[in-house]
Amino acid sequence: MSAPTTYRQPVSRLWWLKKRTYLMFVLRELSSIFVAWFAVFLMIMIFAIGRGEESYRNFMNWAGSPVVIVINVVALAFSILHTVTWFALTPQAMVVRGPGSKQVPAKKEVTVAGRRMTAATVVRVGGRMPSGLVIASQYVGLAVVSAFIVWLVLQ
Amino acid sequence: MADSIQMRVTRYDPDQDSAPTVATYDVPLRKDWAILDGLNYIKDHVDTSLSYRWSCRMGICGSCGMNVEGQPKLTCATFLTDYAPGPVRVEPLSNFPIVRDLVVDIDDFMEKLPRVKPWIIRDDDVTVIDGEYLQTPTELEEYKQFSNCINCMLCYAACPIYGLEPDFIGPAAIALAERYDLDTRDAGQRERLDVLIEREGVWGCTFVGECTRVCPKHVDPAGAIQRYKLKAAQENVMAFLLPRAAR
């Protein structure tokens, strides 16, 4: 008896439009382009400042043009999306342990003289910080860094 | 409430069809009936040739996963009334080849799962006479969530990466690797990392997160994969910075 022929289900090129969650994922991934744009924009500005007042004025005229403003507004929207979505995902990707955690004995594989063997080690367990706290601490960090930059610029 | 609902079910006969077709059936709409009860009704009363997998009917065997209205679901735990007035579309799990009707070929997953060695690894085997490996509730809590996986493969059906890159080892396999890595009795982290540090391992994942959303057992494979990436990245940095003996 020959093996049955299976039907391979094709993946549509527009798979990312099939679910709202897929679309949000693709938008989140796209947002990195706009974050990179802001980095480039900032560098152009710094170079312009470095080259003197005339150059800086030219930069400001360019930055004030409608096209650049539209690009920056879109980039700002994507940057906010980037920040909010990645901050929200952090507690899922990272275990942050608080004061309730403790070290316990565990096993670890090591290579001794070319031979793999089990050795005693310790790992930290328990005391996982609640997701809300991890997310909130990131916003606090963002606020502190932003405040420092504002202070630096206004000096 | 209407007394019947229309089910639109994928049919595929490998001996006759070149592509799947859709058949429509009217089944009684009862408050306590799951999608699976509807399929059983079709098989018992309408068309005995309908093929699908099921076993326990209580969300623990992981056999009856199908796409219901495009969402991967355990059909025993998904009620018909939630889709009233219908019709409700029932398809085989996406991303897997269809064998017949609603039955998919799961060989790929069965081959991938043992690659991550989802069992306790250690070389100082303690016999029953020596006693058992003891563990505190806090230590159990570290991995308990990941041990709830029932291998239903809904996460593979939800994962667009697995659909596009079938070599990706996939959400459930990595979640189970994490389950054993986090077990204080286990010493096999390095062996698993050797498998998962590859491109088809954790780096295939782009954190879509849909695996976690569809998981009927709240395992959070997406979280497990990202935590594994952190481990793999740390390993790479260590390998770069430290001499071999110190690792």
Side-chain angles (χ1 to χ4, degrees), chain A residues 4-9 11-12 15 19 21-22 25 28-29 86 89-90 92-95 97 102 104-111 115-119 123-128, chain B residues 12 14 18-20 70-72 93-94 96-99 122-124 138-139 142 158 160 163-164 184-187 189-191 194 206-208 210 212-213 220 222-223 226-227:
Chain A
T5 39
T6 53
Y7 177 80
R8 194 158 279 282
Q9 305 184 66
V11 177
S12 155
W15 63 268
K19 279 187 198 176
T21 48
Y22 288 167
F25 156 74
R28 189 194 78 202
E29 294 292 289
W86 282 113
L89 288 173
T90 306
Q92 212 182 341
M94 204 173 166
V95 178
R97 296 188 194 279
K102 58 175 184 196
V104 295
K107 298 288 169 193
K108 181 188 172 190
E109 194 179 70
V110 289
T111 312
R115 203 176 139 254
R116 284 189 164 190
M117 56 190 292
T118 303
V123 289
R124 195 159 271 284
V125 295
R128 191 168 178 178
Chain B
Y12 173 69
S18 57
Q71 288 282 358
L93 285 180
S94 36
F96 290 97
I98 305 172
V99 176
R122 52 196 280 163
D123 64 0
D124 55 343
T138 321
E139 288 164 17
E142 285 297 308
L164 295 163
T184 50
R185 302 165 297 179
D186 177 85
Q189 295 95 332
R190 171 153 288 281
E191 287 181 39
D194 284 346
T206 52
F207 209 174
V208 182
E210 196 64 10
T212 293
R213 280 186 284 269
D220 190 10
Q226 310 325 308
R227 289 168 69 173

Side-chain angles (χ1 to χ4, degrees), chain A residues 3-154:
Chain A
T5 39
T6 53
Y7 177 80
R8 194 158 279 282
Q9 305 184 66
V11 177
S12 155
R13 205 176 281 249
L14 297 175
W15 63 268
W16 47 279
L17 287 174
K18 292 221 167 115
K19 279 187 198 176
R20 202 186 60 86
T21 48
Y22 288 167
L23 180 66
M24 281 306 287
F25 156 74
V26 170
L27 291 178
R28 189 194 78 202
E29 294 292 289
L30 273 178
S31 68
S32 55
I33 295 170
F34 294 97
V35 173
W37 157 252
F38 270 142
V40 171
F41 183 80
L42 200 66
M43 275 192 284
I44 296 172
M45 185 176 83
I46 289 168
F47 279 125
I49 292 170
R51 260 189 259 121
E53 210 179 315
E54 168 84 31
S55 172
Y56 178 62
R57 209 170 298 120
N58 285 343
F59 168 80
M60 289 304 276
N61 286 337
W62 170 75
S65 65
V67 177
V68 178
I69 288 175
V70 168
I71 292 173
N72 279 345
V73 167
V74 174
L76 178 66
F78 270 97
S79 297
I80 292 169
L81 177 79
H82 191 88
T83 309
V84 172
T85 49
W86 282 113
F87 278 9
L89 288 173
T90 306
Q92 212 182 341
M94 204 173 166
V95 178
V96 183
R97 296 188 194 279
S101 71
K102 58 175 184 196
Q103 279 199 330
V104 295
K107 298 288 169 193
K108 181 188 172 190
E109 194 179 70
V110 289
T111 312
V112 178
R115 203 176 139 254
R116 284 189 164 190
M117 56 190 292
T118 303
T121 181
V122 285
V123 289
R124 195 159 271 284
V125 295
R128 191 168 178 178
M129 292 293 221
S131 302
L133 206 60
V134 176
I135 296 171
S137 65
Q138 294 178 103
Y139 282 105
V140 171
L142 180 68
V144 169
V145 171
S146 305
F148 174 71
I149 289 170
V150 168
W151 173 80
L152 206 64
V153 170
L154 295 182

Side-chain angles (χ1 to χ4, degrees), chain B residues 36 51-55 63-66 75 102-106:
Chain B
L36 182 61
S51 301
Y52 51 98
R53 281 199 187 98
W54 64 284
S55 180
S63 309
C64 68
M66 292 168 213
T75 50
L102 298 164
V103 179
V104 291
D105 182 357
I106 60 172

Side-chain angles (χ1 to χ4, degrees), chain B residues 191-208:
Chain B
E191 287 181 39
R192 295 190 196 95
L193 193 64
D194 284 346
V195 178
L196 293 178
I197 207 164
E198 299 298 326
R199 209 200 163 298
E200 316 78 66
V202 288
W203 301 113
C205 170
T206 52
F207 209 174
V208 182

